[in-house]
Amino acid sequence: MTKPAFRPFSFFGGKGGTGKTTCAAARALALAEEGIRTLVVSTDPAHSLADAFDIAIGEEIGLIAPNLWAIEIDAEVEAQKYMKGIQEKMLHIVSPVIVDEIRRQIEIAYSSPGAEEAAIFDKFIELMEKLNDPYEAIVFDTAPTGHTLRLLTLPEILGAWLEHLLEKRARAVELMSMVAKYDREVRQKLETDPITEILGKRKTKFETARRILTDPALCAFYFVLNAEKLPILETERAIRLLTKYGIPIGGVLVNRVIPEGAGEFLDRHRQAQQGYLQQIRETFSPLRITEIPFLDTDIRGINELDKITGLLKNL
Amino acid sequence: MGVRAVPFNFVKPFWSRIPCREFLKGRIDMPENGNETEKEQSVLESLKEWVSGMLFGSFVEIGTQAIRKEAFDINDNLMLLLFGDFLGIPNPISYYTLELLPYVAEELVPWERRMQNRKTIVAEKAGQYDFG
């Protein structure tokens, strides 16, 4: 197979426990070793990236190896930061009495189900904007499948929603300025409508994210699975959904493939795996399938990761 | 030098001859202290405001009332789309609409009250038209 073109954004997804964090870490390490300035991002609430590298990784970007930076995004902390920012802004604009009155509303929004996902997504966009400044490649170790998919389809759904809101606001502003023909103060206020401005900014942000996520020259989504029945089904479903939203699939990684001559007990297991491997090849046929062998030890730390970086160089 | 030669304060303004003070008492703000000229200036200001208010009310306001109501309705609907989750309607972007909160904070509480007190939409709509 020919070497695929390099894409700056790669996402690793898959069922929990298949080893996607290890794959993402090894991929990032492989890129860094080739001299590409790489950032590896974990959004998994379990934060296993630090375990994979065996190095403490924080909420701030830190250098962990030559050409390799890492960050672990904490959704809760991000959401809190965002809320705090709003509350501070509010105190500048409205009186504390009103702030106190709508405290309940803020709390409702804070505990709304999408809050953490949205916070992670915001951080994603923020990091993506850092491409070439200074990172040349960003590897995302994403959270389990269902959650990730929702995250990536957000721009699609939200874009349409925002458009509708903007239209409504524009109509309201138009009518209000018609009424305020004799009131210069109100007219001036309407000309710089903060609601339209903020909604517009959001929309541009989503459009940028959407453009990047659907550009096969910029990003690729990799699925990590084991040669078992359920991961195959789930990966198939996930790939179908991503394709529907136009997100490019980079390939499939089969982790923990038992090598030959591993002893009688594992050989029998290998037989079963080979059957599933055949099924994987048939199911995901045009996609690049990379097999990662089952190693005799846990992969922990950069030295151990080096054992598989060779396989992940050409994804 | 013609008219200009006459000192200005000798020329009594025409409205001082109109017995409007009695009429305006209680209707507009009447200054209690200050010299005569200031009092008259102030009366003139108030009178101007009162007349323009009356003209606005009887001609402009009636014409724009319908538009105002429409703008108001659209804004209420927009608020519903933005902050529906405060009323229990799930909103996919409630996290992002929070950014708007500082700008709509003052409208939020009355809006919520209006939404909860809505009785019939037909009656509300009918109220907009003048059937008389």
Side-chain angles (χ1 to χ4, degrees):
Chain A
M1 247 192 241
T2 52
K3 189 177 181 235
F6 166 72
R7 280 155 295 193
F9 299 112
S10 30
F11 293 85
F12 284 80
K15 233 170 130 57
T18 49
K20 62 178 174 300
T21 303
T22 309
C23 287
R27 167 69 172 164
L29 195 61
L31 289 173
E33 279 169 1
E34 279 188 11
I36 298 166
R37 287 193 299 274
T38 308
L39 173 69
V40 55
V41 183
S42 165
T43 55
D44 200 323
H47 283 329
S48 34
L49 197 59
D51 290 332
F53 282 112
D54 207 13
I55 292 172
I57 295 169
E59 288 156 28
E60 297 294 326
I61 297 172
L63 187 72
I64 57 166
N67 282 328
L68 184 60
W69 287 264
I71 181 174
E72 282 185 340
I73 301 175
D74 190 324
E76 218 182 308
V77 171
E78 290 301 320
Q80 257 165 13
K81 258 193 238 163
Y82 174 78
M83 300 288 170
K84 223 174 173 180
I86 290 170
Q87 267 173 342
E88 264 163 32
K89 204 174 186 185
M90 190 130 56
L91 285 172
H92 286 296
I93 299 174
V94 294
S95 76
V97 182
I98 290 169
V99 175
D100 208 52
E101 247 183 280
I102 59 171
R103 181 143 292 157
R104 187 180 67 85
Q105 280 88 337
I106 297 173
E107 270 158 26
I108 292 175
Y110 184 68
S111 55
S112 75
E116 294 196 351
E117 271 174 50
I120 288 183
F121 194 74
D122 259 9
K123 195 76 186 172
F124 260 38
I125 299 174
E126 193 193 312
L127 290 172
M128 279 176 165
E129 281 165 356
K130 286 195 177 155
L131 186 68
N132 294 331
D133 176 34
Y135 314 108
E136 292 164 310
I138 302 179
V139 178
F140 292 94
D141 153 33
T142 43
T145 318
H147 177 83
T148 309
L149 292 183
R150 271 213 56 200
L151 214 66
L152 292 174
T153 54
L154 271 176
E156 176 100 329
I157 301 160
L158 299 191
W161 180 274
L162 277 175
E163 193 137 328
H164 185 59
L165 293 183
L166 268 172
E167 261 169 43
K168 266 224 150 38
R169 182 64 188 176
R171 178 84 186 121
V173 167
E174 194 197 323
L175 287 171
M176 279 191 283
S177 53
M178 266 160 78
V179 172
K181 208 166 184 165
Y182 301 98
D183 198 334
R184 198 186 296 153
E185 206 180 304
V186 175
R187 278 185 81 84
Q188 273 168 356
K189 235 182 176 173
L190 288 173
E191 265 165 35
T192 52
D193 181 36
I195 295 178
T196 311
E197 199 190 312
I198 292 173
L199 286 176
K201 260 191 208 155
R202 263 291 157 216
K203 197 167 162 265
T204 327
K205 251 189 174 175
F206 286 144
E207 276 165 1
T208 313
R210 173 114 196 92
R211 207 197 58 231
I212 293 173
L213 288 173
T214 54
D215 191 343
L218 282 178
C219 90
F221 208 98
Y222 300 96
F223 280 96
V224 182
L225 73 162
N226 298 144
E228 283 160 24
K229 191 176 176 181
L230 283 178
I232 295 174
L233 290 176
E234 198 175 310
T235 307
E236 209 186 335
R237 201 165 45 225
I239 287 179
R240 211 178 308 131
L241 192 66
L242 283 191
T243 314
K244 189 181 139 200
Y245 286 106
I247 294 166
I249 313 289
V252 176
L253 287 88
V254 191
N255 195 15
R256 299 201 186 105
V257 177
I258 298 167
E260 246 176 298
E264 202 189 324
F265 175 76
L266 283 176
D267 261 348
R268 237 173 296 149
H269 203 99
R270 192 182 124 82
Q271 293 297 316
Q273 272 200 346
Q274 288 303 321
Y276 286 123
L277 265 173
Q278 191 53 40
Q279 197 188 329
I280 287 171
R281 282 186 207 112
E282 281 163 17
T283 315
F284 306 114
S285 124
L287 293 171
R288 175 183 288 264
I289 295 158
T290 311
E291 287 174 29
I292 299 164
F294 192 41
L295 299 178
D296 51 358
T297 53
D298 248 9
I299 300 179
R300 263 195 86 150
I302 288 172
N303 289 339
E304 305 259 321
L305 281 170
D306 256 342
K307 286 183 191 166
I308 57 167
T309 48
L311 294 166
L312 294 163
K313 263 195 180 108
N314 298 326
L315 270 189
Chain B
M1 272 175 68
V3 185
R4 290 221 169 185
V6 183
F8 185 71
N9 54 354
F10 282 160
V11 184
K12 278 265 173 189
F14 74 92
W15 57 82
S16 66
R17 270 168 264 134
I18 306 170
C20 60
R21 288 199 83 128
E22 282 312 300
F23 174 71
L24 291 174
K25 214 166 217 161
R27 288 186 167 83
I28 59 171
D29 291 334
M30 290 283 245
E32 290 307 319
N33 38 21
N35 62 43
E36 273 308 302
T37 333
E38 266 176 22
K39 268 189 192 171
E40 271 161 10
Q41 285 283 324
S42 172
V43 169
L44 177 67
E45 283 300 309
S46 305
L47 187 67
K48 259 171 77 184
E49 202 184 309
W50 189 76
V51 169
S52 79
M54 204 183 95
L55 288 173
F56 185 81
S58 41
F59 299 107
V60 184
E61 175 72 3
I62 285 175
T64 55
Q65 216 172 23
I67 305 173
R68 199 185 293 271
K69 173 79 177 128
E70 182 75 22
F72 202 73
D73 278 355
I74 290 181
N75 241 349
D76 267 6
N77 292 344
L78 179 72
M79 290 284 277
L80 190 64
L81 289 174
L82 289 171
F83 301 108
D85 56 333
F86 296 161
L87 300 174
I89 304 162
N91 177 353
I93 58 162
S94 60
Y95 181 81
Y96 294 117
T97 56
L98 267 193
E99 280 180 320
L100 300 171
L101 214 50
Y103 305 98
V104 295
E106 271 172 72
E107 294 171 44
L108 200 63
V109 174
W111 165 77
E112 221 174 312
R113 205 174 301 131
R114 272 203 302 283
M115 288 299 117
Q116 281 160 353
N117 288 345
R118 269 188 156 169
K119 291 202 175 67
T120 89
I121 292 168
V122 178
E124 208 175 279
K125 272 281 159 201
Q128 277 178 46
Y129 301 100
D130 189 3
F131 291 117

